[in-house]
Amino acid sequence: QVHMVESGGGLVQPGGSLRLSCVPSITILSFNVIRWYRQTPGKERDLVAQINTGGARHYPEDSVRGRFTISRDIGRNAVDLQMNRVNPEDTAVYYCYGEQWGEPPTDHWGQGTQVTVSS
């Protein structure tokens, strides 16, 4: 069973920074794409950022573009989400997702890590 282990969540003040990390139990090179999603109570899970096997990055939300950066560290076997200039609207549970290579591909989700932006 593949695990996606998130870490780095917590309480941060508005304007501050936080770095989330996702460490899969298998090599990150086993994934076609790794994504960070976020979810608030009563709402759907939204895609925040993704990075594919070639290193291409995508940020579908205008609200995070320029503030959040997704990156991968092959040495640590981790995909990080650097969150800068956070605001209360960034408060959510953040989930790591990986689509593992295969036919068909296999989806793997982490348990989520809470990020709270508050003074």
Side-chain angles (χ1 to χ4, degrees):
Q1 186 175 2
V2 175
H3 298 282
M4 312 291 286
V5 182
E6 302 112 333
S7 63
L11 176 64
V12 59
Q13 291 188 344
S17 297
L18 206 61
R19 187 179 78 169
L20 307 182
S21 293
C22 173
V23 179
S25 58
I26 59 175
T27 173
I28 60 174
L29 299 179
S30 299
F31 297 92
N32 177 34
V33 63
I34 293 180
R35 298 176 174 138
W36 281 100
Y37 288 80
R38 65 185 179 185
Q39 187 173 28
T40 54
K43 295 190 177 181
E44 293 186 354
R45 199 168 290 187
D46 292 328
L47 176 61
V48 175
Q50 73 176 37
I51 187 166
N52 68 16
T53 188
R57 305 168 187 178
H58 177 57
Y59 307 93
E61 283 193 27
D62 289 340
S63 64
V64 308
R65 207 170 294 130
R67 298 189 299 121
F68 290 8
T69 302
I70 190 170
S71 62
R72 65 181 181 181
D73 185 332
I74 295 175
R76 290 172 45 236
N77 198 49
V79 172
D80 298 326
L81 182 69
Q82 178 68 40
M83 305 167 59
N84 296 330
R85 304 194 307 278
V86 297
N87 58 62
E89 288 70 40
D90 296 320
T91 295
V93 178
Y94 286 72
Y95 295 91
C96 178
Y97 162 88
E99 181 187 88
Q100 183 184 359
W101 289 104
E103 192 55 50
T106 309
D107 299 333
H108 302 288
W109 288 94
Q111 293 298 307
T113 185
Q114 175 70 47
V115 172
T116 302
V117 182
S118 175
S119 55

